[in-house]
Amino acid sequence: MFAHVDINNCYVSCETLFQPHLKGRVVVVLSNNDGCVIARSNEAKAIGIKMADAEFIVRKNLAEHQAAIFSSNYALYADMSARMMNNLARYTYMLMVYSIDEAFMALGNMAGIDLETYASMVSRNVMRDTGLSITLGIGPTLSLAKLANKAAKKHGRAVLVLDTKEKIDTETRTFPIEDVWGVGQAYYQKLQEFQIQTAEDFRQLAPDFVRQHMTVQGWRLHQELWGIPCNVIKDVAERSKGIESSQSFNTYQTELEKIEEATAMHAATIAVKLRQQNSMAMLLTIYLRTNKHNVKHDQHYPSITVKVPFATNSTQELTKICIQALRAIWQPGYNYLKTGIRATGIIPAGEVQFNLFKDYDNTKQQKLSGIIDDINARYGRGALRIAAEGYEKSWAMKQEFLSKQYTTNWNDIIVTK
């Protein structure tokens, strides 16, 4: 048996955990640059606030309901997520962190154990130890566990166990096919052509028909909905095949110096991610974007992909290469709104291919990067960084409603009397 666990209204829950007087009120969290709604309390959902609603469109509605509005505080959310994951690990021999607020737990053979009681105990203990409310769905496959979780929310329950054929049949009979894990927009449109409305409709299709029209991924999903495991829990995170760092500016940027600072910051972010998974990158794509929605501005979307001389994860080397590439595509006279870097050609750090005609010794760079990582791990992200990233960062994203970093910044720790 498997359990799928997620934090209820994750970002909102993290905010209200440290400001409990907001519970029961309309609360929303906004995306980068405070652009769109990306998390809502149940009260916000009740007044019609939808995911991805632009802030300026729902501003009047939020004001009328005296809503609490927050900018994204990813440092807080990531730390609370880590606390929940560590807590869940106590109740399973294998935990797969699926996203910042979701995880799968392998439960193994739970013969003789009341799964409903067990899941309720996990839910209570996570709430006691972290203050976060979670929902658990349990089923014989990962897909059914995920389905059980969503069904639990629809029924207003904290736990739903699908451990018998009768329970699975009951839930799949009315469960919308578009809400099934793995059914994306393309699959959904195709299934609509065959008048498939529910998970049960999908289950009744012949396996060969599913394989023909939905490839092997669809066939695996079909098998899983019948309780036949095809997906497995992985206790080791897979190495990313591509890493991207990008961010919109808080206002249009026309100066190369400011965009270089942002590029250096993205290069440093990618370098850290590469080192965290013990990888190096061979290809880097640097790009610039103007605002395609602003018809009054001339548009320009340049990009360039460069191959580095030797695969690297050094902050210094990546920054130097990216800034040189940026200068190659930069053209003045445009109002740039976004820049980013995408690293591909990612290989394990121990598989760097040497060049017969060039010396390669990155020992010094590796030591320096290690020192940067150690200092930043102790004193906070960005405590030590290269000068090219700038200091004031006037281009940084808008965060007018940013809450405190209660658990990761000494200056923001709550003081009790």
Side-chain angles (χ1 to χ4, degrees):
M1 298 296 285
F2 302 95
H4 175 261
V5 186
D6 71 352
I7 304 172
N8 298 327
N9 303 329
C10 178
Y11 295 173
V12 168
S13 295
C14 292
E15 298 290 356
T16 55
L17 177 61
F18 295 93
Q19 299 189 58
H21 64 279
L22 296 178
K23 291 182 178 179
R25 286 182 49 185
V26 176
V27 181
V28 297
V29 177
L30 304 177
S31 62
N32 291 342
N33 279 323
D34 297 342
C36 302
V37 174
I38 58 171
R40 307 159 292 163
S41 64
N42 291 335
E43 292 75 16
K45 296 174 185 175
I47 65 168
I49 304 297
K50 296 181 173 58
M51 286 292 285
D53 274 348
E55 186 273 337
F56 71 90
I57 291 178
V58 297
R59 187 178 301 162
K60 183 179 179 183
N61 192 10
L62 293 174
E64 289 175 348
H65 290 86
Q66 298 181 319
I69 303 172
F70 292 95
S71 303
S72 299
N73 187 345
Y74 293 117
L76 175 65
Y77 310 151
D79 185 67
M80 294 308 302
S81 170
R83 295 179 185 214
M84 186 205 60
M85 300 302 176
N86 288 334
N87 207 284
L88 289 179
R90 301 160 54 192
Y91 305 102
T92 179
Y93 61 90
M94 191 173 292
L95 178 77
M96 182 173 76
V97 178
Y98 187 65
S99 67
I100 192 170
D101 66 334
E102 293 181 79
F104 286 100
M105 300 166 61
L107 300 180
N109 184 5
M110 304 289 282
I113 296 177
D114 186 327
L115 289 172
E116 191 93 18
T117 303
Y118 184 80
S120 298
M121 179 270 294
V122 173
S123 176
R124 284 195 306 272
N125 289 355
V126 169
M127 169 60 82
R128 179 196 65 197
D129 298 338
T130 68
L132 296 172
S133 169
I134 62 173
T135 299
L136 290 95
I138 294 179
T141 66
L142 299 189
S143 298
L144 283 173
K146 181 97 173 177
L147 186 149
N149 189 305
K150 284 192 174 182
K153 287 189 171 69
K154 292 178 188 291
H155 300 321
R157 300 174 56 178
V159 171
L160 181 61
V161 180
L162 300 181
D163 55 351
T164 65
K165 180 180 181 302
E166 290 72 22
K167 291 180 182 177
I168 294 172
D169 291 346
T170 299
E171 291 302 331
T172 56
R173 195 170 298 133
T174 57
F175 196 88
I177 187 62
E178 63 267 33
D179 289 345
V180 173
W181 184 40
V183 177
Q185 189 62 29
Y187 276 167
Y188 177 64
Q189 290 179 352
K190 186 175 287 295
L191 290 170
Q192 290 297 292
E193 297 174 7
F194 302 111
Q195 299 182 332
I196 304 301
Q197 302 295 332
T198 67
E200 183 61 25
D201 292 340
F202 181 66
R203 291 208 309 166
Q204 295 305 322
L205 293 174
D208 289 343
F209 180 88
V210 175
R211 186 194 287 272
Q212 179 184 352
H213 293 280
M214 296 182 63
T215 72
V216 69
Q217 294 299 328
W219 178 80
R220 288 176 178 167
L221 173 60
H222 186 263
Q223 295 290 293
E224 289 233 322
L225 290 179
W226 278 108
I228 303 171
C230 292
N231 297 314
V232 297
I233 287 184
K234 301 170 184 174
D235 59 346
V236 178
E238 291 185 347
R239 194 186 307 276
S240 299
K241 297 178 181 178
I243 298 175
E244 182 159 347
S245 178
S246 65
Q247 188 182 94
S248 297
F249 303 120
N250 58 5
T251 185
Y252 295 117
Q253 297 296 323
T254 57
E255 299 178 25
L256 176 60
E257 181 182 358
K258 300 297 184 185
I259 299 178
E260 284 183 350
E261 290 182 1
T263 300
M265 183 196 71
H266 293 313
T269 300
I270 286 178
V272 170
K273 291 182 177 179
L274 286 169
R275 293 196 291 271
Q276 287 174 342
Q277 65 174 31
N278 198 29
S279 298
M280 293 186 174
M282 295 191 294
L283 297 170
L284 297 167
T285 300
I286 297 87
Y287 60 85
L288 283 167
R289 297 285 185 270
T290 51
N291 184 0
K292 64 180 180 181
H293 301 293
N294 192 331
V295 295
K296 296 180 181 178
H297 291 173
D298 293 332
Q299 301 299 316
H300 193 42
Y301 314 111
S303 69
I304 185 172
T305 299
V306 295
K307 187 177 186 306
V308 300
F310 294 100
T312 182
N313 58 15
S314 162
T315 300
Q316 295 77 11
E317 291 179 350
L318 288 174
T319 301
K320 181 179 178 181
I321 293 168
C322 290
I323 288 182
Q324 287 177 343
L326 172 68
R327 290 172 179 171
I329 61 173
W330 161 263
Q331 287 191 29
Y334 292 99
N335 296 306
Y336 292 106
L337 189 61
K338 183 177 184 178
T339 186
I341 301 172
R342 183 166 50 251
T344 52
I346 293 174
I347 61 172
E351 297 181 7
V352 177
Q353 185 170 2
F354 297 104
N355 189 318
L356 182 63
F357 305 103
K358 292 184 179 180
D359 293 331
Y360 176 74
D361 181 7
N362 71 340
T363 306
K364 183 178 178 181
Q365 294 293 338
Q366 290 295 304
K367 287 184 177 178
L368 187 55
S369 296
I371 292 171
I372 293 174
D373 291 343
D374 290 344
I375 292 177
N376 287 339
R378 179 170 184 178
Y379 295 104
R381 182 181 179 183
L384 181 62
R385 58 183 185 270
I386 61 176
E389 294 184 50
Y391 184 75
E392 295 184 352
K393 296 186 177 181
S394 59
W395 42 266
M397 64 180 177
K398 184 167 62 176
Q399 292 180 303
E400 294 182 355
F401 312 104
L402 186 65
S403 58
K404 295 181 178 180
Q405 297 175 351
Y406 301 101
T407 61
T408 58
N409 189 328
W410 285 109
N411 297 322
D412 290 343
I413 288 180
I414 292 176
V415 177
T416 59
K417 296 181 179 177

